[in-house]
Amino acid sequence: MTKAELLGAAKLRVRKTAKDGLDADVKRLIEAALSDLERIGVHSSWLAAPSDPLIIEAVLSYVKANYSISGNYETLIGIYNMVLTKIKIVSKYRAEMPPEDDAAADDTESSESTDTNLTLVSVGSSAEEDVRTAVFAEVDPVGRDEYEAAGQKGMKAEYKFTVWAAEYDGQEEVEYNGRRLSIYRTYGAREDDRIELYAAERAGNGS
């Protein structure tokens, strides 16, 4: 992800669509986040053009928490610190980032992480009015009970996405892996301040 793409993702996270003088504030927070990651020992090669989901989420979480200080600051900075803790305990981030092919092979072989980037969609009256929010999520397949629950609503259950409750604002749909899915039910917030989103597509929809 280039710095320009990272800026775009950060603006999306804080729901800033205009291009104005405040972009400089977002850029400053991005640089502060990258410096903080380097401070905890992340090798600079992971930060030059971030492509790792955890690194990107750390940056976006930092920007979200600090861009506009509000009553949710403690929760949002807590999200950032939890992502930072994940990064600290993974030794690979302290060494030079491997070539892209090797990194992809490592991801394929590892089943520990189900972390992913997800886009929450608040549906507007037209496609142009849809509001998208990029978040970090854990993704899991759904079980048989969910297939039955979704089927009663004429839907085909696909995934369970677990996101921070502070980042979910009642959006009706998600975009994941190039597909648009409906959120047919939620669970939480749980004791860990996360909420589960159950997503499905309409039965018979081949998209």
Side-chain angles (χ1 to χ4, degrees), residues 12-140:
L12 189 61
R13 178 63 65 92
V14 298
R15 300 185 181 182
K16 180 183 183 301
T17 57
K19 183 178 182 180
D20 54 34
L22 293 178
D23 284 6
D25 285 344
V26 180
K27 291 178 181 177
R28 176 180 56 81
L29 290 171
I30 289 172
E31 292 302 326
L34 293 172
S35 295
D36 200 35
L37 287 165
E38 193 165 16
R39 175 190 63 81
I40 66 168
V42 176
H43 193 278
S44 60
S45 59
W46 293 89
L47 307 175
S51 59
D52 181 85
L54 269 182
I55 298 295
I56 294 171
E57 179 59 23
V59 174
L60 299 184
S61 295
Y62 184 92
V63 173
K64 175 75 171 180
N66 290 280
Y67 178 70
S68 180
I69 303 300
S70 67
N72 287 332
Y73 175 77
E74 293 299 328
T75 298
L76 295 173
I77 202 65
I79 293 172
Y80 170 69
N81 287 328
M82 289 190 72
V83 177
L84 220 60
T85 298
K86 281 189 173 185
I87 292 172
K88 285 179 181 178
I89 64 177
V90 179
S91 60
K92 71 176 184 178
Y93 295 115
R94 295 191 289 274
E96 186 172 0
M97 185 174 69
E100 187 172 345
D101 289 346
D102 291 349
D106 289 345
D107 289 342
T108 300
E109 292 170 5
S110 174
S111 59
E112 292 183 3
S113 177
T114 56
D115 299 328
T116 189
N117 292 306
L118 181 71
T119 301
L120 302 174
V121 182
S122 182
V123 180
S125 57
S126 65
E128 291 75 18
E129 295 181 3
D130 288 351
V131 177
R132 290 172 169 78
T133 304
V135 299
F136 191 60
E138 291 183 0
V139 57
D140 295 284

Side-chain angles (χ1 to χ4, degrees), residues 114-189:
T114 56
D115 299 328
T116 189
N117 292 306
L118 181 71
T119 301
L120 302 174
V121 182
S122 182
V123 180
S125 57
S126 65
E128 291 75 18
E129 295 181 3
D130 288 351
V131 177
R132 290 172 169 78
T133 304
V135 299
F136 191 60
E138 291 183 0
V139 57
D140 295 284
V142 297
R144 179 176 296 178
D145 289 347
E146 290 303 324
Y147 280 110
E148 295 176 355
Q152 293 174 1
K153 300 179 181 181
M155 309 186 83
K156 179 183 176 183
E158 294 278 349
Y159 301 103
K160 178 185 79 173
F161 298 105
T162 305
V163 303
W164 295 106
E167 296 188 331
Y168 178 66
D169 193 27
Q171 290 89 343
E172 306 94 339
E173 297 183 352
V174 299
E175 290 178 346
Y176 176 64
N177 279 350
R179 299 173 63 203
R180 184 96 163 230
L181 302 171
S182 297
I183 298 172
Y184 66 90
R185 82 174 183 94
T186 65
Y187 174 77

